[in-house]
Amino acid sequence: MSENQNLLAEQRRALILDEVRRRGGVRVNELTRKLGVSDMTVRRDLDALARQGMLEKVHGGAVPVVEASTHEPGFEAKSGLELTAKEDIARAAARLVSPGSAIALSGGTTTYALAQHLLEVPDLTVVTNSVRVADVFHAAQRTSGQRQGGATVVLTGGVRTPSDSLVGPVADQAIAALHFDLLFLGVHGISVEAGLSTPNLAEAETNRRLVQSARRVVVVADHTKWGTVGLSSFAALEQVDTLVTDAGLPGEARSEISEHLRRLVVAGEPGDDEDL
């Protein structure tokens, strides 16, 4: 980590969390030296991350939280993580969308970021099981009125999850009757062995229906999702056409992914809209 006294709290906390996960634990004095800030600032950052359930404070430092495969963080807890990466991913993913397309967006904080980049793409039909994603388009319509070329939004019914997705038989039935050109899928975890996974069994089934109804599947996931495995797998890597991720993804992971997917887009790097 580079030393920078002017790092924003959000950036510091993302760096701290990355260091904790990478090394399996850090000490406060190490973080003050690496970040160039005071002990008090580091301790406040650790307190904030601990309240969000992102790490566990121990005497003199912090260690990762050992999460069960059934643990599902809420939308608010996830929304403050990897903000720069999510923004880069959303910007790159939006370039894959053509005017007039029928697209689907699953639940998640990365698809929520993507939705905001799609507001200016004309004549979209957007199918989503995410209350948050639907709110992005509805808020834009309330602000600007029913402008020509605005998106038509179809929100599935269903039971609401901690991540504000709608799942269950009602959502599954609605999705099964539809067909869309492009699916943008947020995930809890992604790996070669488990494919795409989630800790929520009902969400896994709804995501399966989304994949089945899409001509092309694009996964939008930052580098921290690589190697994470939830309780239920809902798609193999071979069912994914494109993964849009960020520059934090290690080279070894990129090589593994390239063996299973047709296309990997690393947002924020030169040529991030090129095929591998």
Side-chain angles (χ1 to χ4, degrees), residues 34-52:
K34 290 176 182 293
L35 294 170
V37 295
S38 68
D39 279 18
M40 185 67 71
T41 297
V42 169
R43 292 183 191 280
R44 281 199 300 266
D45 288 340
L46 293 179
D47 285 338
L49 289 167
R51 283 195 300 271
Q52 291 181 315

Side-chain angles (χ1 to χ4, degrees), residues 18-140:
D18 187 63
E19 191 79 351
V20 168
R21 288 170 170 168
R22 185 173 61 84
R23 295 176 52 194
V26 292
R27 300 187 65 80
V28 170
N29 58 4
E30 294 173 331
L31 292 173
T32 58
R33 185 173 61 253
K34 290 176 182 293
L35 294 170
V37 295
S38 68
D39 279 18
M40 185 67 71
T41 297
V42 169
R43 292 183 191 280
R44 281 199 300 266
D45 288 340
L46 293 179
D47 285 338
L49 289 167
R51 283 195 300 271
Q52 291 181 315
M54 298 297 111
L55 53 73
E56 182 179 349
K57 288 184 66 181
V58 296
H59 181 68
V63 296
V65 173
V66 179
E67 293 184 348
S69 61
T70 54
H71 176 66
E72 182 178 7
F75 186 94
E76 298 300 339
K78 294 186 290 186
S79 62
L81 300 176
E82 304 294 337
L83 290 180
T84 301
K86 289 173 184 175
E87 185 65 16
D88 288 343
I89 291 167
R91 190 179 298 108
R95 291 199 291 268
L96 302 176
V97 180
S98 301
S101 300
I103 66 171
L105 277 72
S106 75
T109 53
T110 308
T111 50
Y112 174 77
L114 171 59
Q116 296 172 69
H117 283 271
L118 295 176
L119 293 175
E120 299 306 316
V121 181
D123 300 319
L124 292 180
T125 298
V126 179
V127 178
T128 185
N129 68 321
S130 168
V131 176
R132 300 280 185 149
V133 166
D135 281 347
V136 170
F137 291 98
H138 291 154

Side-chain angles (χ1 to χ4, degrees), residues 93 96-98 101-105 180-184 214-218 241:
L96 302 176
V97 180
S98 301
S101 300
I103 66 171
L105 277 72
F180 22 86
D181 302 311
L182 201 56
L183 165 65
F184 291 97
R215 289 178 54 213
R216 291 170 54 208
V217 177
V218 179
D241 296 285

